[in-house]
Amino acid sequence: MRNMALSMELRCWGGGWGLPSVHTESLIVLAYSKFSGAHVIASPIDWTWKTLTATVPELMCGESSVTDPTQILNFLRKQRFNADYELTARQGADTLAYIALLEEKLRPALLHTFWVDAENYANVTRPWFASHSPFPLNFVVPCRHASLAISRILLTKGESPLNRINEIEAKLYSDAKECLNLLSYRLGTANYFFGSSPTSLDAFVFGFLAPLYKAGLPSSPLQSHLSQLENLTLFCENILAVYFCSSQPSSPVPVQETKDANLQKLTQLVNKESNLIEKMDDNLRSSSPQHKPHRPEPKATLANEKNSTPA
């Protein structure tokens, strides 16, 4: 029997664009907790110094602290919150294969879309993260994420030197579109990837697709491609409507934090890091292409609700 007194807190980026969180990894954990019946309290890091210092998502449970979606999901399973309980060995293997596919084929293109594409970064990504970070971190946090994104793309694709990112852009989006096509084919006309209830694969796919689907991007061929795959967009809408419609964890109201002895030290640290990151960001971005400025009982899906409406 589950420990009903178990209290779990998830530190994550807050909500935006009609999503409980704009952060892929945070979305994965939030979705899985809903699917498995785990009572996890979302604690957004927005407008706090944790926007620079914290590793999110981070699950806090008693004296335990777990980061990384895969490790967090494993921790929840050990607490008997297992959305994959009914999967066969074959389905478990397929889950691992599709998650690896998401990481290899889709993530690099998503990083490029949000953090490298100049128009998207200037109009969507940077404004959101800057507006959800306290001064002076609002100048640092977006640049730091952008630099890390570029490095991660090049590391994933095994390309060097750094100025070759523009040479792999076409391959990034080609691989991502192929991944979306495979996901669409695998999902077919079903509501979820395995059976009538969502599993960890559904949580990962939702975490990867939902920000791309919901963000108001001015420049995104990948978003346009996703919009043509109606079963995947309905998949995102269905999860939002069934699991998040009445309990979206929202970002807290900004509060003037008490100044203490650490503030001056943190400000000095931020100023030093800001100068370094700005230089790195300018160098990296100048080489990238520029574009025009318990498992609960299965819940009723949108399709099922429509079908069950009395005549």
Side-chain angles (χ1 to χ4, degrees):
M1 189 172 181
R2 290 175 181 169
N3 183 3
M4 300 304 293
L6 194 65
S7 176
M8 294 181 285
E9 174 188 351
L10 182 70
R11 293 177 180 171
C12 59
W13 279 103
W17 312 332
L19 299 173
S21 174
V22 302
H23 185 235
T24 287
E25 286 80 1
S26 299
L27 272 180
I28 292 170
V29 178
L30 288 170
Y32 184 86
S33 66
K34 294 284 189 179
F35 300 163
S36 64
H39 181 60
V40 173
I41 300 174
S43 178
I45 63 171
D46 306 35
W47 297 295
T48 71
W49 287 96
K50 292 185 178 68
T51 55
L52 179 67
T53 61
T55 300
V56 293
E58 180 181 18
L59 184 70
M60 313 292 294
C61 181
E63 297 182 355
S64 299
S65 172
V66 190
T67 59
D68 182 75
T70 299
Q71 297 304 317
I72 294 175
L73 267 58
N74 287 337
F75 177 85
L76 291 176
R77 293 187 188 102
K78 291 178 181 178
Q79 308 304 316
R80 300 178 65 186
F81 297 106
N82 190 356
D84 296 345
Y85 181 77
E86 296 179 357
L87 293 184
T88 65
R90 174 62 183 273
Q91 290 171 332
D94 286 348
T95 295
L96 295 177
Y98 276 102
I99 291 175
L101 181 71
L102 289 168
E103 293 287 351
E104 180 183 354
K105 300 292 186 181
L106 187 55
R107 185 182 291 278
L110 291 178
L111 291 173
H112 191 282
T113 295
F114 284 95
W115 295 103
V116 180
D117 183 287
E119 194 170 0
N120 294 336
Y121 179 74
N123 292 284
V124 177
T125 316
R126 182 167 188 162
W128 193 94
F129 281 87
S131 67
H132 286 72
S133 301
F135 176 85
L137 298 188
N138 54 315
F139 296 107
V140 178
V141 171
C143 296
R144 188 183 197 188
H145 280 283
S147 298
L148 291 173
I150 294 174
S151 299
R152 185 166 183 176
I153 292 171
L154 295 168
L155 178 64
T156 301
K157 292 302 178 182
E159 296 289 343
S160 62
L162 296 183
N163 61 11
R164 293 183 58 185
I165 192 169
N166 60 327
E167 299 177 12
I168 63 174
E169 180 180 357
K171 185 67 164 60
L172 289 180
Y173 286 104
S174 175
D175 286 350
K177 290 177 181 179
E178 179 184 358
C179 178
L180 291 178
N181 291 340
L182 289 172
L183 291 172
S184 178
Y185 179 79
R186 176 63 183 82
L187 181 62
T189 59
N191 292 315
Y192 307 112
F193 283 89
F194 301 113
S196 60
S197 299
T199 64
S200 59
L201 178 58
D202 297 282
F204 271 87
V205 174
F206 175 74
F208 275 76
L209 297 190
L212 178 65
Y213 171 52
K214 300 292 285 186
L217 301 173
S219 170
S220 180
L222 191 60
Q223 187 180 62
S224 298
H225 186 78
L226 175 60
S227 67
Q228 298 172 17
L229 303 173
E230 294 185 4
N231 62 337
L232 292 182
T233 59
L234 181 60
F235 168 83
C236 294
E237 290 286 4
N238 182 62
I239 289 178
L240 286 171
V242 174
Y243 291 95
F244 293 102
C245 63
S246 61
S247 59
Q248 290 192 11
S250 57
S251 302
V253 176
V255 177
Q256 179 66 40
E257 296 187 359
T258 304
K259 294 184 178 181
D260 54 25
N262 292 328
L263 180 58
Q264 185 176 1
K265 295 180 181 179
L266 284 170
T267 302
Q268 293 173 351
L269 173 64
V270 166
N271 289 336
K272 292 180 181 179
E273 184 164 348
S274 177
N275 293 332
L276 176 61
I277 291 178
E278 287 287 357
K279 291 179 181 178
M280 293 175 58
D281 189 50
D282 290 341
N283 293 334
L284 291 170
R285 193 168 299 283
S286 63
S287 65
S288 65
Q290 299 297 306
H291 302 276
K292 294 183 178 181
H294 181 5
R295 156 178 267 172
E297 290 296 323
K299 296 188 178 183
T301 63
L302 295 177
N304 291 340
E305 289 179 355
K306 292 179 180 179
N307 294 335
S308 62
T309 302

